Amino acid sequence: MRMVDIIEKKRDGQELTKAEINFVITGYTKGTVPDYQMSALAMAIYFKDMTNQEITDLTMAMVESGEQIDLSAIHGIKVDKHSTGGVGDTTTLVLAPLVAAVGVPVAKMSGRGLGHTGGTIDKLEAIKGFNVEISNDEFIQLVNRDQVAVVGQSGDLAPADKKLYGLRDVTGTVDSIALIASSIMSKKIAAGADAIVLDVTTGDGAFMKNEKDAERLAKTMVQIGKLANRQTMAIISDMSQPLGLAIGNSLEVKEAIDALKGEGPADLMEMVYVLGSQMVVLAKQADTLEEARELLKEAIQSGAATTKFKEMIRNQGGDDSIVDRPENLPQAEFVIELPAKESGYISEMVADQLGIAAMLLGAGRRTKEDTIDYSVGLMLHKKVGDSVTAGEPLVTVYANSQAIDDVKTKIYENIFITKEKVAEPTLIHQIIT
Ligand code: URA
Ligand code: CA
């Protein structure tokens, strides 16, 4: 087989065979297929797209390019949850202990944040001592004993994807649904869960800016999951404004603790119940979504959810005192209130731009090498649809410098206030099974 023939075949809009896709991915992982040929193929895929069969073959070839985590030693149905990314998305931090408190084993591998999006692993590292790099054996033991562990993604999971993603990033080929779907699903499948709940975000703060693309991505990923024998479902959720009120690592840990006590912001609570009940049903801990939701509510009301979070933190070497005393989390030196400049209704809070404002404070990374300041970030006081009076607090900025004029400008430029009443955005757009 020759790589050039495969490139030409895709360039001409034909379907590649499983053998051809395996040849490409094996060769690219080993280095016998050079970057320039892989770039040409990625661009051909970008323009000519792939059939679901090709996308599945590509996913499985990337799964097989590296380590596949064997979770079979963990009793019960292991459920994973993945979000395609957002701003202030605190759900995993809440869901991992909450769903575990209901008896669902959660063996979760999470990522770090980049650019305007945050990552669960960074948020957990805001907790002093919390270790996200534990061995596979210990990971499995913890989940077997206490139903939950959250770790960073193993370096050898889907190495073909890691290499290809780096290449796509610099060749204008990130925004291909075929390539995004196979990239995400290769890592989920290699991570070993029996069932996968996907949160595909849509809006300014998401990869998929419009709902049609989000729907296609969600349907494609659900199909791949099923073809790989993993029970898979997706929700399409709104990321036109940030989720919840907190954006930033310590602030989001505090928001997660509030949510585990049932006192989180309404949109975050709803996301937690919607995604959590799907996880509980897939794990066969409840027969219906309604029953699952009741179990989650009971775990919150009884305190089992916060107890599980403490246990999870202790198990991974972290300081669990933060659950009762969130002031033990890293705190910023300056707390700066930004008041609303006019009265009316909030019509827009541009998610990605507010994520960038938090990043500029130090809450996120511009490049992979940047270090994070866990203490800084934003607390929103309003969400789209809320009424606001001039002079009322709009956003509180947590900073370690008083020179934050660029951040203030960015915040004011990306929160719009109108005179007419505005409807709250729909949080859950679709459920795809
Ligand atoms: N996230 C991934 O893991 N891969 C993509 O291609 C896009 C988002
Ligand atoms: Ca949040």
Side-chain angles (χ1 to χ4, degrees):
M1 237 179 258
R2 291 195 317 158
M3 183 67 182
V4 63
D5 299 325
I6 296 172
I7 296 169
E8 286 176 4
K9 191 173 174 189
K10 183 42 72 186
R11 179 201 68 193
D12 296 340
Q14 294 179 57
E15 186 172 8
L16 302 180
T17 65
K18 187 178 170 80
E20 286 164 338
I21 289 170
N22 283 339
F23 172 84
V24 170
I25 294 303
T26 314
Y28 187 55
T29 311
K30 278 192 310 210
T32 51
V33 169
D35 277 348
Y36 54 84
Q37 285 188 311
M38 196 64 209
S39 312
L41 182 63
M43 190 57 87
I45 293 170
Y46 178 93
F47 280 115
K48 298 293 172 157
D49 214 344
M50 287 181 128
T51 62
N52 279 333
Q53 189 58 55
E54 283 177 296
I55 299 173
T56 304
D57 292 340
L58 174 59
T59 305
M60 293 316 291
M62 295 203 291
V63 169
E64 285 153 18
S65 72
E67 185 185 10
Q68 295 179 54
I69 312 283
D70 180 3
L71 298 180
S72 59
I74 300 173
H75 319 297
I77 300 171
K78 281 75 68 183
V79 187
D80 200 354
K81 172 257 169 191
H82 180 84
S83 160
T84 59
V87 177
D89 186 350
T90 318
T91 41
T92 298
L93 227 45
V94 184
L95 279 173
L98 174 57
V99 172
V102 171
V104 177
V106 182
K108 178 97 188 84
M109 291 198 171
S110 281
R112 295 188 183 276
L114 187 63
H116 69 272
T117 64
T120 299
I121 289 302
D122 296 326
K123 294 171 198 179
L124 286 169
E125 283 183 341
I127 303 169
K128 199 170 101 208
F130 197 99
N131 179 14
V132 296
E133 286 169 18
I134 55 183
S135 70
N136 281 356
D137 283 350
E138 200 183 343
F139 178 58
I140 286 169
Q141 274 173 16
L142 284 180
V143 181
N144 257 337
R145 196 187 70 199
D146 293 325
Q147 282 72 50
V148 63
V150 182
V151 298
Q153 186 182 300
S154 148
D156 197 38
L157 223 56
D161 170 66
K162 192 166 187 195
K163 206 170 164 193
L164 179 56
Y165 193 66
L167 187 71
R168 286 165 56 210
D169 210 20
V170 292
T171 55
T173 50
V174 168
D175 291 321
S176 150
I177 286 173
L179 294 176
I180 296 174
S182 51
S183 166
I184 293 173
M185 290 306 286
S186 66
K187 287 171 285 198
K188 291 292 106 183
I189 292 167
D194 306 303
I196 302 165
V197 171
L198 298 164
D199 174 17
V200 179
T201 49
T202 179
D204 286 320
F207 247 100
M208 298 289 118
K209 306 291 177 203
N210 70 66
E211 189 171 343
K212 272 222 125 26
D213 288 343
E215 183 180 342
R216 227 202 110 210
L217 178 62
K219 286 186 170 160
T220 306
M221 291 197 293
V222 168
Q223 270 223 331
I224 297 171
K226 287 182 176 165
L227 288 168
N229 279 321
R230 313 296 167 110
Q231 295 186 71
T232 309
M233 62 82 56
I235 72 160
I236 297 179
S237 74
D238 185 70
M239 193 41 81
S240 60
Q241 63 177 339
L243 187 67
L245 300 171
I247 310 169
N249 300 282
S250 281
L251 297 169
E252 287 188 56
V253 173
K254 163 81 166 60
E255 187 171 59
I257 296 164
D258 291 342
L260 287 166
K261 294 177 177 162
E263 294 159 6
D267 59 345
L268 174 61
M269 293 309 297
E270 185 56 20
M271 280 293 285
V272 163
Y273 286 129
V274 169
L275 290 166
S277 37
Q278 296 283 355
M279 292 171 79
V280 172
V281 168
L282 285 179
K284 299 208 180 347
Q285 297 286 329
D287 293 327
T288 65
L289 293 172
E290 294 70 33
E291 199 187 309
R293 194 180 267 250
E294 277 314 305
L295 289 176
L296 295 171
K297 287 196 167 151
E298 275 166 35
I300 286 175
Q301 276 153 16
S302 70
T306 47
T307 302
K308 187 56 78 178
F309 192 39
K310 284 184 196 168
E311 191 175 72
M312 170 183 141
I313 294 171
R314 271 197 313 275
N315 282 347
Q316 297 191 233
D319 171 14
D320 69 342
S321 77
I322 58 113
V323 177
D324 294 321
R325 288 187 295 281
E327 64 276 14
N328 291 352
L329 286 161
Q331 301 290 314
E333 193 173 344
F334 303 106
V335 178
I336 302 156
E337 297 284 352
L338 304 188
K341 288 180 177 171
E342 53 195 313
S343 301
Y345 295 89
I346 308 286
S347 63
E348 222 186 319
M349 300 186 112
V350 185
D352 50 349
Q353 293 301 320
L354 294 172
I356 290 170
M359 184 193 78
L360 292 173
L361 291 167
R365 295 183 183 82
R366 250 166 284 225
T367 69
K368 285 195 186 110
E369 289 72 37
D370 274 359
T371 54
I372 284 189
D373 182 345
Y374 298 111
S375 68
V376 300
L378 311 178
M379 280 302 294
L380 311 177
H381 295 284
K382 301 282 174 184
K383 299 293 297 262
V384 171
D386 288 350
S387 71
V388 58
T389 309
E392 226 190 326
L394 187 61
V395 175
T396 303
V397 180
Y398 292 79
N400 280 321
S401 153
Q402 280 179 303
I404 58 155
D405 286 349
D406 53 340
V407 175
K408 280 190 199 171
T409 306
K410 195 165 251 329
I411 293 170
Y412 277 119
E413 277 176 352
N414 288 288
I415 299 182
F416 294 86
I417 298 174
T418 56
K419 290 290 167 213
E420 312 81 56
K421 197 159 171 38
V422 179
E424 232 178 83
T426 306
L427 184 62
I428 311 292
H429 292 252
Q430 287 185 56
I431 293 189
I432 290 163
T433 53

